[in-house]
């Protein structure tokens, strides 16, 4: 039984390590996004916007969970088909290589000019980038890489370990809903509130596991008090923990005010050392992401092998 979990896990991990998310490859997250956009267009109207948003979220998550659960159960009698199907969707659930590649691309773009760096950063963050300086751009890259190490890697692996591909892909649907409608602006404040809260709940444990693993693989477990202190200061109940872990490891400061959709958001600072981020540190952060991913894949494999 353990091999039905371990083998797809290893194949999916290696596929992500090699391929990442090539733009030419069809991806289920695009389908998720299209479904969410269609539902939002039809349902995000007064009255009862909160209820409609909640129903959209529950329906899409339930359909995702049901489809992948039934598919797993039906394919288990056909081992080759099962392993192909499950491995492919473990691969789709992970985003570590693409996350690292996008971070490196921003640093590379900065070498060509500040405007190039701002433009490339805008592809991967929600904040407005047109007024950011070089240091703010570099810190934004590291913030999003630490946060998305949890959202894009550890969380889907966590739910895969618990519930198989059905768990991993249901998590991806929840996370996609939050990224599309979970904003606190006039359009989504009510419609996306349920999706945002659900995303907070499902990310609670993975975010803290991510922070712990980041400290573990860098031999910085003595920084746990730092992470506990600064992690809870973030506006998000989860994002602050991996960000605080990276700030502790690099001895730098994240956070501060930024503009989101035209509104100034005064995010608290994480850390106290306001030193300059250097170019070579991109490689350090990339290695941390790789080590954390490998460690968690290994941990899941060991647990399933032992039980």
């Amino acid at each position: 039984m353990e091999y039905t979990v371990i083998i797809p896990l290893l194949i999916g991990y290696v596929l992500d390590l090699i391929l990442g998310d090539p733009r030419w490859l069809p991806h289920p997250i695009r389908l998720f996004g299209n479904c969410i956009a269609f539902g939002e267009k039809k349902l995000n109207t007064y009255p009862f916007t909160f209820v409609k948003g909640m129903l959209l979220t529950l329906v899409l998550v339930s359909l995702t969970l049901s489809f992948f659960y039934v598919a797993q159960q039906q394919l288990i009698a056909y081992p080759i088909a099962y392993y192909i199907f499950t491995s492919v969707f473990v691969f789709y659930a992970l985003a570590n290589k693409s996350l690292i590649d996008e971070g490196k691309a921003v640093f590379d773009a900065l070498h060509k000019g500040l405007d190039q760096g701002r433009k490339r950063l805008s592809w991967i963050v929600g904040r407005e980038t047109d007024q950011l300086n070089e240091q703010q751009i570099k810190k934004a890259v590291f913030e999003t890489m630490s946060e998305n190490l949890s959202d894009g890697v550890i969380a889907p692996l966590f739910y895969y370990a618990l519930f198989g591909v059905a768990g991993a892909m249901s998590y991806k649907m929840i996370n996609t809903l939050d990224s599309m409608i979970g904003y606190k602006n006039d359009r989504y404040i009510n419609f996306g509130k349920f999706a945002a809260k659900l995303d907070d709940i499902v990310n609670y444990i993975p975010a803290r596991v991510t922070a712990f693993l980041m400290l573990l693989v860098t031999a910085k477990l003595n920084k746990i008090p730092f992470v506990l202190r600064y992690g809870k200061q973030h506006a998000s109940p989860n994002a602050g923990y991996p960000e605080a872990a990276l700030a502790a490891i690099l001895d730098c400061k994240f956070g501060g005010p930024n503009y989101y959709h035209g509104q100034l958001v005064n995010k608290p600072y994480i850390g106290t050392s306001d030193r300059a981020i250097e170019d070579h540190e991109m490689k350090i952060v990339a290695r941390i992401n790789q080590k954390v991913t490998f460690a968690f894949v290994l941990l899941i494999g060991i647990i399933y092998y032992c039980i």
Side-chain angles (χ1 to χ4, degrees):
M1 177 65 179
E2 67 272 13
Y3 294 111
T4 62
V5 174
I6 295 174
I7 292 175
L9 172 66
L10 294 177
I11 295 174
Y13 166 69
V14 171
L15 286 174
D16 178 69
L17 198 62
I18 296 171
L19 298 176
D21 290 324
R23 298 186 186 279
W24 53 264
L25 189 66
H27 201 292
I29 301 305
R30 295 191 193 113
L31 175 61
F32 290 179
N34 290 338
C35 292
I36 295 165
F38 178 81
E40 190 270 339
K41 183 178 180 180
K42 296 293 184 182
L43 297 175
N44 190 9
T45 56
Y46 289 100
F48 309 120
T49 50
F50 172 78
V51 174
K52 292 174 182 177
M54 179 179 69
L55 289 175
L56 176 66
T57 299
L58 291 175
V59 167
L60 291 178
V61 175
S62 297
L63 287 174
T64 304
L65 179 65
S66 300
F67 172 80
F68 284 99
Y69 176 78
V70 171
Q72 285 181 125
Q73 295 302 309
Q74 294 297 318
L75 290 173
I76 198 69
Y78 308 95
I80 294 177
Y82 172 85
Y83 283 118
I84 292 174
F85 177 85
T86 311
S87 300
V88 166
F89 281 100
V90 171
F91 159 64
Y92 277 137
L94 300 178
N96 194 40
K97 185 178 187 300
S98 61
L99 177 61
I100 293 171
D101 288 347
E102 289 297 333
K104 290 179 178 178
V106 176
F107 272 66
D108 290 341
L110 266 176
H111 295 154
K112 302 174 184 177
L114 193 56
D115 286 340
Q116 292 291 322
R118 289 168 174 166
K119 181 178 179 180
R120 189 72 195 216
L121 178 65
S122 69
W123 295 12
I124 61 172
V125 299
R127 72 192 67 179
E128 295 176 15
T129 64
D130 56 341
Q131 298 298 319
L132 299 183
N133 60 38
E134 181 178 333
Q135 280 299 308
Q136 289 172 321
I137 291 171
K138 290 178 178 179
K139 289 183 179 182
V141 170
F142 288 172
E143 288 174 20
T144 197
M145 286 185 69
S146 60
E147 181 180 348
N148 284 287
L149 177 59
S150 175
D151 292 358
V153 183
I154 301 304
L157 286 174
F158 178 79
Y159 287 103
Y160 172 75
L162 292 178
F163 307 113
V165 164
M169 298 310 293
S170 296
Y171 168 79
K172 297 296 285 188
M173 174 59 85
I174 294 170
N175 193 239
T176 308
L177 279 156
D178 178 64
S179 69
M180 291 183 65
I181 64 172
Y183 296 104
K184 295 180 180 179
N185 56 25
D186 291 342
R187 180 171 178 173
Y188 296 120
I189 184 65
N190 290 315
F191 187 77
K193 182 181 291 187
F194 182 84
K197 291 297 182 183
L198 183 59
D199 186 75
D200 287 343
I201 291 169
V202 298
N203 277 302
Y204 186 87
I205 295 175
R208 287 150 181 81
V209 170
T210 302
F212 175 78
L213 288 174
M214 291 171 75
L215 299 180
L216 179 66
V217 302
T218 55
K220 298 281 188 179
L221 289 178
N222 62 314
K223 297 294 186 180
I224 288 177
F226 179 99
V227 173
L228 294 177
R229 176 186 175 188
Y230 285 101
K232 64 184 178 183
Q233 293 185 14
H234 198 285
S236 162
N238 302 313
Y241 288 89
E243 286 187 24
L246 189 57
I249 294 165
L250 298 179
D251 187 29
C252 67
K253 183 166 73 173
F254 294 141
N258 276 290
Y259 281 91
Y260 292 82
H261 308 288
Q263 296 183 339
L264 179 63
V265 178
N266 286 303
K267 300 171 73 173
Y269 287 103
I270 295 177
T272 57
S273 178
D274 197 20
R275 68 170 185 83
I277 300 295
E278 299 179 14
D279 286 352
H280 76 272
E281 292 179 278
M282 179 64 231
K283 293 181 179 179
I284 296 173
V285 176
R287 283 197 296 269
I288 292 170
N289 280 36
Q290 294 287 21
K291 289 179 180 179
V292 167
T293 304
F294 176 77
F296 199 49
V297 168
L298 182 63
L299 178 62
I300 295 170
I302 290 172
I303 291 172
Y304 267 93
Y305 183 77
C306 290
I307 61 175

